């Protein structure tokens, strides 16, 4: 498969624009099919006008790893780059059922492995820590705060790895489309498959039967059998007029027994049930729904066919998350000013929220502030944390920070929420907010000059683990109550960390 793809791409590599080769190929791929950065093809740039692309190349793109090239290349060279990335490729490699199947590898049949952990650590208090620097992941004992295993991952994992509900298995997605299933009990990668060329993220059904993968390229959702990752169905992402779309993100909504996927280039959110239990959900069978067409008999859905309920929106969604009961979807667009609140029963927008600086919404968290359920999220364009009343969807407070942040985290047992400052001169700072006063009570700089980011708590909310986002980085562990540093563990650009208990119990202080 790899060889075939390479042979197909030889002409693209030889003919690549020289400026592109020098400055862009490392992140976006010599073939423009994406690498650590997204694919750069006209099919994937429909929301970016050419003049805007020119500005992005010149000035960089906020909240991504895209730097400014204005002082490195001339205006004329930038224009050749713009023309180049809007030129269609002679051929985009196909990644349909047949090609996906051909990549499938089973390293260890599940039945051949014991279903008990091979270590004594509490399997529910393990962390998986992704180390982006050298494409590894570390399994960490959350009680002793010591690594127990380190393994090689696929290239450039992105998005949160997702656990099976018992925490035994974890599913990982790489930006270049590889999905890996890792056995946390036996510390082995058990199966792998390439489900996309440029992948966004994955979700696992709450009944542990299916994995759904959302792709930027091709424009598809891929359903895998969660047991061994064999492909079940490829769904092309397009609207009823045939306009296709990248997938912004896919998540699971456990009480709804469905996957929810947002489209990046069409104004729709899709709900795709994976279990017959979805049949008992109350759904308004009005003009927005597209399940049963005219039959109106929601109870007759055959979920093995993965029917699509299309919810039409006013605007695009780049990311979203849910309230506690999965009744509301809260979404935002990169270029939008307002966030949208969608009621999942009636399938339409019921409110707008003031999110001026584009949140990395997967980073939003919720808690009760003086008996008011609130949602709080950092913003990627502005140094503020927005705190929103989830009954009225009005902003209660904008907490000023030292710069735009990526990740916000807390835990039910902690009185604090932690938020990083990911961009700008204060990227080494992290703020600690009192959840009941909404005031910053402490600002720390764990390592002067180095980006500190992404906090995750252990299962009891006793420790907070933070990443020093550097090739010679560290995991810094704090006592979550006294905020005193406890220890440091050297790691290579540690990014996200994922605690089994908090993720599988859907803690309101973290992402799911
Ligand atoms: Fe992420 C999660 C989108 C850039 C690190 N990021 C997510 C998710 C989405 C998303 C939709 C939720 C998926 C999930 O968990 O299933 N990220 C985007 C972007 O649109 C953006 C701004 C541009 C892009 O390059 O795609 C972006 N993200 C980054 C980075 O530059 C980061 C800092 C480094 C990297 O890995 O490329 C980064 N994103 C992360 C991490 C998570 C994540 C560590 C999981 C957080 C968690 O705790 O669940």
């Amino acid at each position: 498969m790899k060889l075939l793809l390479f042979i197909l791409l030889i002409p693209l590599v030889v003919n690549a624009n020289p400026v592109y080769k020098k400055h862009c190929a490392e992140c976006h791929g010599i073939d423009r099919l994406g690498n650590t950065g997204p694919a750069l093809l006209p099919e994937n740039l429909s929301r970016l006008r050419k003049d805007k692309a020119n500005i992005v190349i010149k000035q960089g793109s906020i909240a991504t790893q895209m730097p400014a090239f204005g002082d490195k290349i001339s205006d004329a060279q930038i224009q050749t780059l713009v023309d180049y990335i809007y030129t269609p490729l002679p051929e985009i490699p196909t990644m349909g059922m047949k090609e996906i199947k051909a990549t499938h590898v089973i390293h260890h049949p599940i039945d051949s492995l014991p279903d008990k952990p091979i270590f004594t650590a509490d399997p529910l208090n393990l962390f998986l820590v992704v180390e982006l620097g050298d494409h590894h992941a570390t399994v960490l004992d959350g009680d002793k705060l010591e690594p127990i295993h380190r393994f090689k991952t696929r290239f450039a994992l992105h998005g949160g790895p997702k656990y099976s509900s018992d925490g035994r298995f974890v599913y990982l997605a790489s930006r270049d489309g590889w999905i890996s299933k890792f056995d946390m009990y036996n510390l082995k990668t058990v199966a792998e498959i390439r489900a996309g060329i440029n992948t966004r993220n994955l979700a696992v059904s709450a009944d542990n039967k299916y994995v759904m993968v959302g792709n930027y390229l091709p424009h598809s959702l891929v359903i895998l059998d969660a047991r061994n990752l064999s492909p079940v169905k490829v769904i092309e992402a397009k609207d009823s007029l045939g306009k296709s779309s990248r997938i912004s993100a896919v998540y699971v909504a456990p009480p709804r027994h469905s996957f929810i996927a947002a489209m990046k280039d069409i104004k729709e959110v899709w709900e795709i049930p994976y279990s017959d239990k979805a049949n008992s959900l109350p759904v308004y069978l009005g003009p927005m729904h597209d399940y049963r067409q005219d039959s109106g008999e929601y109870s007759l859905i055959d979920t093995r066919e993965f029917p699509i309920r299309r919810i039409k929106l006013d605007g695009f969604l780049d990311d979203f998350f849910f309230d506690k009961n999965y009744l509301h979807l809260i979404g935002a667009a990169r270029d939008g000013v307002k966030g949208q609140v969608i009621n999942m029963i009636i399938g339409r927008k019921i409110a707008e929220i003031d999110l001026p600086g584009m949140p990395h919404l997967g980073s939003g968290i919720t808690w009760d502030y003086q008996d008011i359920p609130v949602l709080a999220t950092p913003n990627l364009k502005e140094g503020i944390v927005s705190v929103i009343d989830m009954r009225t969807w009005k902003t209660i407070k904008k907490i000023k920070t030292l710069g735009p942040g990526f990740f916000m985290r807390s835990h039910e047992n902690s009185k604090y929420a932690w938020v990083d400052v990911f961009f700008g001169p204060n990227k080494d700072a992290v703020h600690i907010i009192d959840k009941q006063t909404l005031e910053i009570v402490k600002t720390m700089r764990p390592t002067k000059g180095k980006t500190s980011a992404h906090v995750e708590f252990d299962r009891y909310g006793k420790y907070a683990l933070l990443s020093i986002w550097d090739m010679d980085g560290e995991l810094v562990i704090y006592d979550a109550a006294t905020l005193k540093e406890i220890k440091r563990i050297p790691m290579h650009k540690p990014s996200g960390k994922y605690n089994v208990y908090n993720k599988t119990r859907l803690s309101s202080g973290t992402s799911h």
Side-chain angles (χ1 to χ4, degrees):
M1 171 73 189
K2 250 189 173 164
L3 185 68
L4 181 70
L5 204 64
F6 181 71
I7 293 168
L8 277 173
L9 296 173
I10 285 175
L12 306 180
V13 174
V14 173
N15 297 327
N17 171 309
V19 188
Y20 180 91
K21 255 192 205 169
K22 183 162 175 206
H23 295 287
C24 321
E26 189 183 339
C27 294
H28 295 282
I30 184 74
D31 43 27
R32 293 199 276 141
L33 298 176
N35 196 12
T36 50
L40 293 178
L41 307 174
E43 294 81 351
N44 281 18
L45 294 168
S46 63
R47 265 175 68 194
L48 187 70
R49 290 197 326 262
K50 279 191 173 185
D51 53 339
K52 265 277 180 73
N54 197 305
I55 296 172
V56 170
I57 298 173
K58 214 175 266 176
Q59 300 178 358
S61 175
I62 293 173
T64 71
Q65 310 287 320
M66 170 78 188
F69 286 93
D71 56 351
K72 294 191 185 72
I73 50 181
S74 67
D75 284 358
Q77 285 174 315
I78 290 177
Q79 196 48 50
T80 66
L81 279 179
V82 172
D83 293 339
Y84 181 61
I85 62 176
Y86 283 84
T87 307
L89 289 182
E91 194 173 22
I92 298 178
T94 314
M95 204 64 181
M97 193 54 139
K98 190 171 112 220
E99 292 77 14
I100 293 173
K101 246 185 199 156
T103 66
H104 190 203
V105 191
I106 296 183
H107 298 291
H108 299 280
I110 301 295
D111 299 343
S112 69
L113 297 169
D115 69 352
K116 296 267 174 302
I118 59 169
F119 44 81
T120 51
D122 173 5
L124 289 178
N125 201 16
L126 296 176
F127 286 86
L128 191 74
V129 186
V130 171
E131 291 181 65
L132 277 184
D134 59 355
H135 313 287
H136 275 70
T138 291
V139 179
L140 187 90
D141 176 341
D143 293 307
K144 291 196 178 136
L145 304 173
E146 279 168 11
I148 58 174
H149 182 67
R150 190 167 188 270
F151 63 98
K152 194 154 179 48
T153 65
R154 288 283 170 177
F155 180 80
L157 297 186
H158 176 242
K162 303 288 154 62
Y163 291 102
S164 57
S165 54
D166 59 359
R168 172 169 172 189
F169 298 107
V170 64
Y171 299 85
L172 312 152
S174 73
R175 288 205 188 240
D176 62 358
W178 280 96
I179 308 302
S180 310
K181 175 173 179 172
F182 183 80
D183 183 342
M184 295 287 284
Y185 288 5
N186 292 286
L187 304 175
K188 284 187 165 65
T189 299
V190 290
E192 287 183 292
I193 193 160
R194 191 169 185 195
I197 293 169
N198 193 197
T199 286
R200 193 63 176 151
N201 77 326
L202 65 76
V204 179
S205 64
D207 62 4
N208 300 308
K209 285 190 179 160
Y210 302 106
V211 174
M212 183 174 272
V213 182
N215 288 321
Y216 266 9
L217 195 73
H219 295 174
S220 64
L221 286 162
V222 179
I223 300 170
L224 307 172
D225 184 325
R227 279 172 307 180
N228 63 6
L229 299 184
S230 59
V232 175
K233 187 167 181 174
V234 178
I235 304 174
E236 277 184 72
K238 46 170 107 160
D239 66 13
S240 42
L241 300 174
K243 180 175 170 17
S244 77
S245 174
R246 294 167 289 169
I247 307 295
S248 297
V250 55
Y251 298 106
V252 67
R256 302 188 60 79
H257 314 282
S258 61
F259 291 112
I260 314 282
M263 305 290 126
K264 216 171 173 78
D265 306 306
I266 56 181
K267 294 174 183 171
E268 291 183 4
V269 163
W270 290 6
E271 175 164 31
I272 304 176
Y274 53 73
S275 155
D276 291 340
K277 289 189 183 148
N279 288 330
S280 55
L281 285 176
V283 172
Y284 165 67
L285 296 173
M288 297 295 177
H289 102 106
D290 197 20
Y291 264 124
R292 304 271 79 210
Q293 300 296 344
D294 294 326
S295 83
E297 291 183 73
Y298 186 78
S299 61
L300 291 180
I301 290 171
D302 179 353
T303 44
R304 284 168 307 174
E305 289 174 11
F306 301 102
I308 299 164
R309 175 192 185 199
R310 292 168 189 269
I311 298 174
K312 312 271 186 212
L313 305 175
D314 290 355
F316 302 109
L317 286 192
D318 286 317
D319 197 7
F320 62 99
F321 92 144
F322 297 98
D323 62 0
K324 220 171 163 184
N325 305 321
Y326 290 78
L327 175 61
H328 296 103
L329 177 157
I330 301 110
R334 206 183 159 74
D335 34 14
V337 183
K338 300 270 182 206
Q340 306 189 49
V341 182
I342 319 292
N343 179 305
M344 291 305 293
I345 293 180
I346 58 175
R348 67 181 145 80
K349 185 170 91 178
I350 51 130
E352 286 188 338
I353 40 179
D354 179 26
L355 291 172
M358 193 194 91
H360 190 240
L361 262 181
S363 301
I365 57 170
T366 59
W367 73 85
D368 284 347
Y369 157 69
Q370 299 178 1
D371 295 331
I372 303 168
V374 293
L375 142 70
T377 174
N379 289 277
L380 290 173
K381 289 184 191 161
E382 273 184 50
I384 51 167
V385 168
S386 307
V387 183
I388 290 155
D389 182 335
M390 294 176 84
R391 299 167 314 178
T392 60
W393 304 109
K394 298 266 178 283
T395 304
I396 293 181
K397 184 163 182 183
K398 290 179 179 175
I399 305 170
K400 257 191 103 30
T401 64
L402 285 173
F406 236 107
F407 302 103
M408 182 154 189
R409 292 288 177 257
S410 186
H411 188 281
E412 282 77 358
N413 296 340
S414 170
K415 58 195 270 214
Y416 303 119
W418 296 54
V419 63
D420 53 48
V421 178
F422 204 87
F423 303 98
N426 293 302
K427 63 182 186 180
D428 54 358
V430 57
H431 298 294
I432 292 135
I433 295 167
D434 183 315
K435 293 197 287 191
Q436 291 314 314
T437 61
L438 306 183
E439 298 292 338
I440 293 177
V441 289
K442 191 166 182 179
T443 297
M444 299 200 277
R445 294 184 193 263
T447 303
K448 234 181 158 351
K450 291 190 176 176
T451 305
S452 62
H454 194 282
V455 168
E456 181 64 79
F457 287 75
D458 74 305
R459 77 176 272 188
Y460 306 105
K462 196 169 158 198
Y463 303 115
L465 282 62
L466 173 145
S467 295
I468 301 296
W469 209 281
D470 192 86
M471 204 52 199
D472 293 317
E474 285 170 313
L475 207 62
V476 187
I477 303 172
Y478 293 91
D479 180 311
T482 64
L483 309 180
K484 294 261 180 315
E485 185 178 320
I486 292 184
K487 74 185 280 191
R488 291 185 177 225
I489 303 172
M491 288 194 183
H492 299 300
K493 212 177 189 187
S495 63
K497 46 208 88 58
Y498 308 89
N499 179 271
V500 174
Y501 187 90
N502 295 339
K503 295 292 179 185
T504 55
R505 270 54 178 183
L506 308 183
S507 159
S508 59
T510 190
S511 63
H512 314 125

